[in-house]
Amino acid sequence: MWLKPEEVLLKNALKLWLMERSNDYFVLQRRRGYREEGGGGLTVKLIISWDAVSKLEKTSNVILTESIHVCSQGENHYFSMFLHINQTYLLMEQLANYAIKRIFDKETFDNDPILDDPLQITKRGLENRAHSEEFNAFFRLPKEETLKEVHECFLWVPFSHFNTHGKMCISENYICFASQDGNLCSVIIPLREVLAIDKTNDSSKSVIISIKGKTAFRFSEVKEFEQLVAKLRLKCGAASTQYHDISTEVPISSESVDPSDDIEVQSLICQKECSKTVNTEALMTVFHPQDLETLNSKTLKEKMKEQSWNILFTECGRGVSMFRTKKTQDLVVRGIPETLRGELWMLFSGAVNDMAANPGYYAEVVEQSLGTCNLATEEIERDLRRSLPEHPAFQSDTGISALRRVLTAYAFRNPKIGYCQAMNILTSVLLLYAKEEEAFWLLVAVCERMLPDYFNRRIIGALVDQAVFEELIRDHLPQLTEHMTDMTFFSSVSLSWFLTLFISVLPIESAVNVVDCFFYDGIKAILQLGLAILDYNLDKLLACKDDAEAVTALNRFFDNVTNKDSPLPSSVQQGSNVSDEKSSHIRVDITDLIRESNEKYGNIRCEDIYSMRCRNRLYVIQTLEETTKQNVLRVVSQDVKLSLHELDELYVIFKRELFFSYYWCLRAPVLKHHDPSLPYLEQYQIDCQQFRVLYHLLSPWAHSANRDSLALWTFRLLDENSDCLINFKEFSSAIDIMYNGSFTEKLKVLFKLHIPPAYTEVKYKDPSKGDELSKEELLYFSQLHVSKPAKEKEAESAKNSPKGKEKVDIQAYLSQWQDELLKKEENIKDLPRMNQSQFIQFSKTLYNLFHGDPEEELLYQAIAVVTSLLLRMEEVGRKLHNPASSTKGLSGAVCASGGPSEGQTESHLEKDPSSLREEPQWSFAFEQILASLLNEPALVKFFEKPIDLKAKLENAKTSQLSSRTRK
């Protein structure tokens, strides 16, 4: 991504260094005063691509008190002497993470106004984006919200009778406040709820915001409060128009307002119109209605919890605009009452805002997704009855159908994620306590905001949080780190903890308490609980001799976690059904465990978790990319003569060209050729334009005048399934033959380039450009199917290349792999014959290849002799079959003066083709051409002389960088 030099933070932060230009690399140029007029010294230039950074951290040691450590491709670099190291580090962290995330999520960038145009990315824009991300994450707002203004002020807290100092944050659709004085007080005011905005006439500089439910918020000591009031009134006018249909349906009441009331009317109307199958009640209400007549200790405790929350609602308000305080957090830790769980999950997750902004959306998506059949729906059907199978709700069609609708609707909404395992378990729990539409929006909040990048084929988000968890273990439980020789144990054990929020390992009655904390505190709650669990079992884990013993100890612990206050029937509870054998083990109450996790590890800050996520995301993605590369190289190395080092260099160049042409180009289209869910070989593929660039950089035949045509024909030859894409295996096979192939192999490739399906006649639209093809021409010719009928081509493509995004046919891949193993070496007798127009082009290509060679004249004479000999042989052959035929005109011209020069031959070959058609069509077999060329030592020597591939690869890498940095 390009940065305007005048906007780059490094311009101010690194004043010791002259920055000639900033782009998608950070460039260490020269120290001020060196190599300038009259100056001397050593010039140092280091270029590191952001997407190659695997580690980025601030460090300090005896030599460098403060430095930034950058690890790229196994090399460590330390940068120091910063004037503003913290700002510089944050900027570097942002750039590196945007670059690395773009490897697997380019669509997000293409839809982002800040990142869409790489040439316009500025320091200010990156800072604004970072602030908006932090703002949205803290207040659980939709991703589309952008932080517009921040004002320091005081908020009057009526139930505590004091003003709390903090910041008012304003976006397009929300006014939010967070205290800065340690009172843990925050408020979210959607503009759709605002009825009036007023200002006071006294010296307090106060702004009063009135919302539905006869509630008002007073912000005082607001700078420029008059202008702020005017702006907010304009915003509220636009918001009231946007949500007009919702607002007019909701009466204003003096009582506390349920947050779902203002959207329920519209939602129900749309549901009735679109579908009558959507459940409007939580499954727990249907399958476990509370028996008010039967009161026991657990029921009484549940009622006391409800009463505590009702008292809180009376003090702090109810709904999306309620005050959120330390008391709110304490009540969440104790466990949310069953009857309030769905409402508060919606509130704390921010899903209530998504649902309010999209009334009727779910019912419409359900209608559109019904009856669809793809890989996602097949996986959903397979997992439906594996989701909480012990619960009565999912032993009935009611629960199964609701689960199917929610999962299918989400797969329809977000095909990039579609469906991943663990989503069914999470959604099952959501459906127990939330209405079906609410469960859908809760799933949206979890998958797209609270657990980013968790639910994809590579579960990158979960792997990142596992790495964060390991880092926290090293910081907080060092004795456990010292005991465990391999930290990957924690990764293997904790994966299900993160993917299912402990639902898969804890009894259901205990797991829901964890979900309560997750929706309130986010991933911080899961990390804290994980540390508390390891801490609780520390002595047992330290006594374990191997991983299996440690896993057994943890599983036994989870089996004995209970929720003594759960009002669920014993038939549903899982913790109460432990066997007598395990009953001797100490039971642990989930509420005590969660409280302990807050007390011991509550000082872990969300900002630190975000920073650790950024730092570990670099490592995780680079590790995955390295794994992909090693698997590709292992497969490809079996079929080529290139060394592993050469293949490694070639892969880097191949992948870099793909990134350059799609990731970093101005307004580049969405990258369609990278799908991490596909097998390794198919994850990166290039089109004809990208192949041409690489052909020019790497091919020993790239000096030919018709190199664009050669690149086009080579691409068509490699693209056996005609999908206009080739993978690295196909690409490397061509390079391998060009550099390591025998004379026969190289000649066979050139022969096949001039016959279908590779060969297609190239007609240039702009003759003034010579043999150069425009990008549009190149892509057009690469898509021409001349060898087979379209239907046959499609059938063969479907059979041999199961690359479709809808469904990956594993059986087809296995069949294709088996065919490749059994494939015999191509017999030269099986090659089709080359007709006269193709032979003419073949001859011209040979002349172009010889141009500039030290033995150029000798090679020209040799090819003229071969051409003359072939034509005479063909003439004799045809006379034996048809004495009347003759090729006197053509052969005489070719053989004139004992062998033509390059110009004489080409001028004759380009004569009016109609004169050739008057003669009977002649053709040559590959064996004839091979035998004739073998008789010319100069030609054999030309094709068999060794070429330095190492130097070519080094020049290619340099050219790739310089061609971009000059732009």
Side-chain angles (χ1 to χ4, degrees):
M1 48 187 80
W2 292 80
L3 302 176
K4 285 185 175 180
E6 65 272 14
E7 292 285 347
V8 181
L9 179 63
L10 300 185
K11 176 173 177 284
N12 295 320
L14 300 178
K15 288 185 177 179
L16 292 173
W17 305 99
L18 296 179
M19 304 300 294
E20 294 181 357
R21 191 166 191 180
S22 297
N23 47 44
D24 49 334
Y25 310 93
F26 56 89
V27 182
L28 177 62
Q29 296 284 6
R30 61 177 181 272
R31 187 149 184 188
R32 190 177 295 278
Y34 285 86
R35 289 289 176 97
E36 296 178 350
E37 294 182 7
L42 180 64
T43 299
V44 178
K45 184 172 182 179
L46 174 68
I47 301 178
I48 303 176
S49 175
W50 286 117
D51 58 20
V53 175
S54 59
K55 190 172 186 178
L56 182 66
E57 60 181 356
K58 285 190 295 184
T59 60
S60 61
N61 53 43
V62 177
I63 301 175
L64 301 173
T65 54
E66 282 190 315
S67 62
I68 295 177
H69 172 210
V70 179
C71 180
S72 173
Q73 297 177 344
E75 296 183 357
N76 293 301
H77 308 279
Y78 294 86
F79 301 89
S80 62
M81 301 179 69
F82 294 95
L83 296 182
H84 305 286
I85 187 170
N86 290 330
Q87 296 178 46
T88 306
Y89 176 76
L90 290 175
L91 179 63
M92 294 173 71
E93 187 178 63
Q94 272 187 287
L95 291 172
N97 268 279
Y98 292 154
I100 204 72
K101 284 184 70 175
R102 207 165 189 176
I103 291 177
F104 66 94
D105 190 17
K106 185 176 190 299
E107 291 84 350
T108 299
F109 285 72
D110 291 327
N111 298 323
D112 192 307
I114 297 177
L115 302 174
D116 178 54
D117 186 349
L119 294 179
Q120 300 304 318
I121 295 176
T122 62
K123 168 185 172 285
R124 188 175 297 108
L126 291 173
E127 286 179 344
N128 292 340
R129 179 182 171 86
H131 291 153
S132 293
E133 288 177 347
E134 184 179 355
F135 166 70
N136 291 340
F138 183 84
F139 292 106
R140 305 285 163 73
L141 300 180
K143 292 189 298 184
E144 297 75 21
E145 292 299 310
T146 304
L147 181 62
K148 298 295 185 182
E149 299 179 52
V150 178
H151 300 272
E152 283 202 30
C153 61
F154 289 87
L155 172 64
W156 173 250
V157 184
F159 51 89
S160 299
H161 304 289
F162 72 90
N163 283 308
T164 180
H165 177 256
K167 291 183 178 180
M168 177 197 292
C169 305
I170 302 171
S171 66
E172 294 91 342
N173 299 299
Y174 297 88
I175 302 170
C176 303
F177 176 87
S179 63
Q180 304 289 308
D181 54 9
N183 290 315
L184 297 179
C185 177
S186 63
V187 171
I188 301 170
I189 307 173
L191 295 184
R192 65 178 182 271
E193 299 282 333
V194 175
L195 297 177
I197 297 178
D198 301 298
K199 59 183 178 180
T200 59
N201 296 323
D202 54 24
S203 59
S204 63
K205 300 180 182 178
S206 298
V207 177
I208 299 175
I209 301 175
S210 302
I211 65 170
K212 299 169 187 177
K214 293 187 177 180
T215 303
F217 297 91
R218 179 181 175 182
F219 300 90
S220 58
E221 300 300 327
V222 182
K223 293 182 179 179
E224 300 179 350
F225 71 105
E226 293 180 344
Q227 295 92 323
L228 178 60
V229 168
K231 290 179 184 177
L232 291 179
R233 284 174 176 170
L234 286 175
K235 280 181 174 288
C236 289
S240 64
T241 302
Q242 179 182 357
Y243 296 97
H244 181 267
D245 293 337
I246 301 171
S247 302
T248 55
E249 298 289 343
V250 182
I252 300 175
S253 170
S254 59
E255 301 296 328
S256 295
V257 180
D258 190 309
S260 60
D261 288 346
D262 60 349
I263 55 177
E264 192 169 291
V265 176
Q266 281 288 328
S267 176
L268 289 175
I269 291 173
C270 292
Q271 286 175 12
K272 289 177 181 178
E273 291 176 353
C274 301
S275 174
K276 296 184 179 180
T277 61
V278 176
N279 291 342
T280 56
E281 295 293 337
L283 294 179
M284 193 65 75
T285 305
V286 177
F287 288 89
H288 303 295
Q290 287 195 350
D291 187 355
L292 300 178
E293 296 180 359
T294 304
L295 292 177
N296 53 37
S297 60
K298 291 186 176 181
T299 307
L300 287 173
K301 286 184 179 180
E302 188 73 4
K303 290 297 179 184
M304 291 173 62
K305 281 186 183 180
E306 291 180 18
Q307 187 62 28
S308 299
W309 278 97
N310 288 329
I311 293 171
L312 180 74
F313 293 149
T314 303
E315 292 180 351
C316 303
R318 184 171 186 173
V320 68
S321 298
M322 69 180 289
F323 283 87
R324 306 177 194 207
T325 64
K326 180 68 166 61
K327 186 176 180 181
T328 312
Q329 185 183 41
D330 292 340
L331 289 178
V332 171
V333 169
R334 287 171 53 189
I336 298 175
E338 300 278 310
T339 55
L340 296 176
R341 193 160 261 143
E343 173 190 335
L344 293 177
W345 283 359
M346 289 288 291
L347 181 64
F348 296 144
S349 67
V352 64
N353 296 314
D354 295 320
M355 188 169 165
N358 300 277
Y361 173 87
Y362 174 66
E364 293 175 6
V365 174
V366 168
E367 286 291 324
Q368 294 170 10
S369 62
L370 283 177
T372 56
C373 184
N374 49 43
L375 180 61
T377 57
E378 289 182 11
E379 291 178 341
I380 289 170
E381 289 297 323
R382 186 180 65 240
D383 288 346
L384 283 177
R385 301 192 181 275
R386 303 176 185 174
S387 310
L388 299 185
E390 68 285 345
H391 199 285
F394 299 101
Q395 295 170 0
S396 70
D397 289 338
T398 302
I400 293 294
S401 298
L403 181 59
R404 177 187 292 111
R405 285 192 295 271
V406 172
L407 292 174
T408 304
Y410 186 77
F412 185 86
R413 164 190 167 87
N414 192 344
K416 188 176 70 173
I417 291 179
Y419 169 78
C420 293
Q421 285 188 342
M423 288 174 67
N424 60 316
I425 298 174
L426 175 61
T427 307
S428 300
V429 175
L430 300 179
L431 282 167
L432 288 178
Y433 295 98
K435 300 171 185 177
E436 186 173 320
E437 183 178 10
E438 293 173 343
F440 171 80
W441 287 112
L442 284 168
L443 184 63
V444 170
V446 171
C447 293
E448 298 177 14
R449 287 190 283 109
M450 300 188 71
L451 296 179
D453 308 318
Y454 261 61
F455 300 99
N456 54 43
R457 296 291 178 182
R458 299 202 291 182
I459 55 172
I460 290 172
L463 295 176
V464 170
D465 282 344
Q466 281 186 308
V468 172
F469 187 52
E470 289 180 12
E471 192 171 335
L472 290 172
I473 293 172
R474 283 191 286 268
D475 293 340
H476 295 275
L477 300 171
Q479 62 271 50
L480 189 58
T481 306
E482 294 171 3
H483 176 73
M484 304 298 290
T485 56
D486 188 1
M487 292 293 286
T488 57
F489 163 76
F490 298 110
S491 298
S492 59
V493 169
S494 64
L495 182 61
S496 62
W497 302 359
F498 293 101
L499 283 176
T500 67
L501 307 179
F502 285 95
I503 296 171
S504 63
V505 294
L506 286 175
I508 183 65
E509 66 274 12
S510 300
V512 291
N513 284 38
V514 178
V515 179
D516 294 342
C517 297
F518 168 74
F519 280 127
Y520 190 83
D521 273 330
I523 193 63
K524 178 175 180 284
I526 305 300
L527 293 168
Q528 288 178 181
L529 183 59
L531 290 173
I533 290 170
L534 294 180
D535 189 20
Y536 190 93
N537 293 276
L538 184 61
D539 293 337
K540 294 179 182 177
L541 292 174
L542 292 177
C544 292
K545 299 178 181 178
D546 53 39
D547 292 354
E549 194 175 343
V551 171
T552 302
L554 288 174
N555 288 339
R556 186 176 295 117
F557 168 80
F558 287 130
D559 289 339
N560 287 277
V561 175
T562 64
N563 186 349
K564 61 186 178 183
D565 297 333
S566 174
L568 290 179
S570 58
S571 60
V572 175
Q573 292 193 37
Q574 298 169 347
S576 61
N577 296 327
V578 293
S579 64
D580 294 335
E581 180 185 346
K582 296 182 179 179
S583 61
S584 59
H585 293 282
I586 299 175
R587 300 290 180 85
V588 182
D589 187 72
I590 186 63
T591 305
D592 297 335
L593 191 61
I594 292 174
R595 186 182 293 112
E596 185 176 340
S597 73
N598 272 278
E599 292 172 355
K600 286 190 173 182
Y601 307 108
N603 60 344
I604 298 174
R605 301 188 311 150
C606 294
E607 296 85 348
D608 295 333
I609 293 175
Y610 175 80
S611 181
M612 285 189 282
R613 273 180 161 180
C614 290
R615 188 164 60 247
N616 285 286
R617 185 179 291 112
L618 298 176
Y619 172 76
V620 166
I621 296 179
Q622 293 291 13
T623 300
L624 291 172
E625 290 297 299
E626 181 66 21
T627 301
T628 297
K629 182 178 77 170
Q630 294 303 325
N631 280 284
V632 169
L633 297 187
R634 186 173 64 252
V635 172
V636 173
S637 62
Q638 300 173 9
D639 300 323
V640 297
K641 299 175 184 176
L642 297 169
S643 67
L644 277 176
H645 177 73
E646 290 170 338
L647 275 176
D648 191 298
E649 296 286 303
L650 196 62
Y651 184 90
V652 170
I653 294 171
F654 177 90
K655 180 178 168 184
R656 182 180 290 163
E657 181 56 38
L658 184 69
F659 284 4
F660 277 152
S661 57
Y662 278 98
Y663 285 101
W664 311 122
C665 281
L666 178 63
R667 294 185 180 89
V670 173
L671 183 65
K672 298 178 181 178
H673 311 339
H674 177 214
D675 187 350
S677 67
L678 292 176
Y680 293 119
L681 278 175
E682 311 300 339
Q683 286 187 18
Y684 290 110
Q685 301 179 89
I686 59 174
D687 62 19
C688 194
Q689 165 62 16
Q690 295 154 343
F691 177 79
R692 172 172 64 175
V693 175
L694 292 175
Y695 185 91
H696 289 179
L697 289 173
L698 295 167
S699 174
W701 302 336
H703 64 277
S704 173
N706 65 334
R707 63 179 187 170
D708 279 2
S709 296
L710 281 177
L712 168 65
W713 298 331
T714 305
F715 180 86
R716 289 171 59 87
L717 178 65
L718 298 174
D719 183 22
E720 294 182 358
N721 58 1
S722 300
D723 64 350
C724 300
L725 297 172
I726 62 171
N727 59 37
F728 179 72
K729 182 179 181 181
E730 294 161 338
F731 172 76
S732 59
S733 66
I735 298 298
D736 182 55
I737 291 177
M738 291 179 192
Y739 283 90
N740 299 320
S742 63
F743 173 76
T744 302
E745 291 172 331
K746 292 179 181 178
L747 189 64
K748 185 166 68 174
V749 167
L750 285 171
F751 181 88
K752 293 170 72 173
L753 293 182
H754 293 83
I755 59 175
Y759 180 77
T760 182
E761 188 176 357
V762 177
K763 296 180 180 178
Y764 300 93
K765 295 180 180 179
D766 188 359
S768 63
K769 292 185 178 180
D771 290 338
E772 183 179 347
L773 288 168
S774 67
K775 180 178 179 179
E776 292 73 20
E777 290 174 322
L778 191 72
L779 295 177
Y780 168 75
F781 287 124
S782 70
Q783 296 167 5
L784 287 179
H785 296 170
V786 297
S787 59
K788 299 175 183 177
K791 291 184 179 179
E792 183 181 344
K793 183 78 70 176
E794 291 175 5
E796 183 175 314
S797 176
K799 177 182 177 182
N800 294 332
S801 180
K803 300 179 183 178
K805 291 188 177 181
E806 287 297 322
K807 184 174 181 179
V808 179
D809 190 341
I810 302 300
Q811 292 298 326
Y813 273 110
L814 292 174
S815 177
Q816 180 181 348
W817 178 56
Q818 186 177 18
D819 290 343
E820 290 179 357
L821 290 177
L822 298 176
K823 188 185 297 181
K824 296 180 180 179
E825 187 174 349
E826 187 176 37
N827 194 320
I828 59 177
K829 294 181 179 180
D830 298 331
L831 292 173
R833 296 176 68 86
M834 180 181 285
N835 65 32
Q836 60 189 39
S837 62
Q838 295 161 1
F839 180 75
I840 291 172
Q841 183 59 59
F842 176 75
S843 301
K844 291 169 66 176
T845 296
L846 291 178
Y847 277 105
N848 288 327
L849 291 180
F850 302 151
H851 183 68
D853 190 272
E855 304 290 334
E856 180 178 355
E857 191 62 32
L858 185 61
L859 290 167
Y860 285 160
Q861 293 177 3
I863 198 62
V865 170
V866 169
T867 304
S868 175
L869 175 62
L870 287 170
L871 290 173
R872 289 180 179 177
M873 290 169 56
E874 180 63 20
E875 179 181 4
V876 171
R878 282 190 293 108
K879 282 184 177 180
L880 293 175
H881 293 87
N882 186 6
S885 64
S886 171
T887 56
K888 178 181 177 181
L890 181 61
S891 61
V894 172
C895 300
S897 303
S901 66
E902 178 186 8
Q904 290 174 325
T905 303
E906 291 195 12
S907 65
H908 179 79
L909 294 174
E910 291 172 353
K911 282 186 177 182
D912 183 5
S914 60
S915 62
L916 296 177
R917 294 191 188 99
E918 294 174 359
E919 299 289 339
Q921 287 288 318
W922 44 264
S923 61
F924 296 111
F926 175 72
E927 293 171 288
Q928 293 175 286
I929 297 176
L930 175 63
S932 302
L933 291 174
L934 283 171
N935 288 325
E936 297 295 329
L939 294 175
V940 176
K941 180 181 177 182
F942 173 82
F943 282 107
E944 289 191 339
K945 65 182 177 183
I947 306 172
D948 188 359
L949 177 57
K950 181 179 179 181
K952 198 75 171 179
L953 291 171
E954 288 298 324
N955 291 335
K957 288 195 294 185
T958 304
S959 299
Q960 269 188 317
L961 296 178
S962 60
S963 65
R964 262 69 187 191
T965 54
R966 284 197 301 266
K967 292 181 181 178

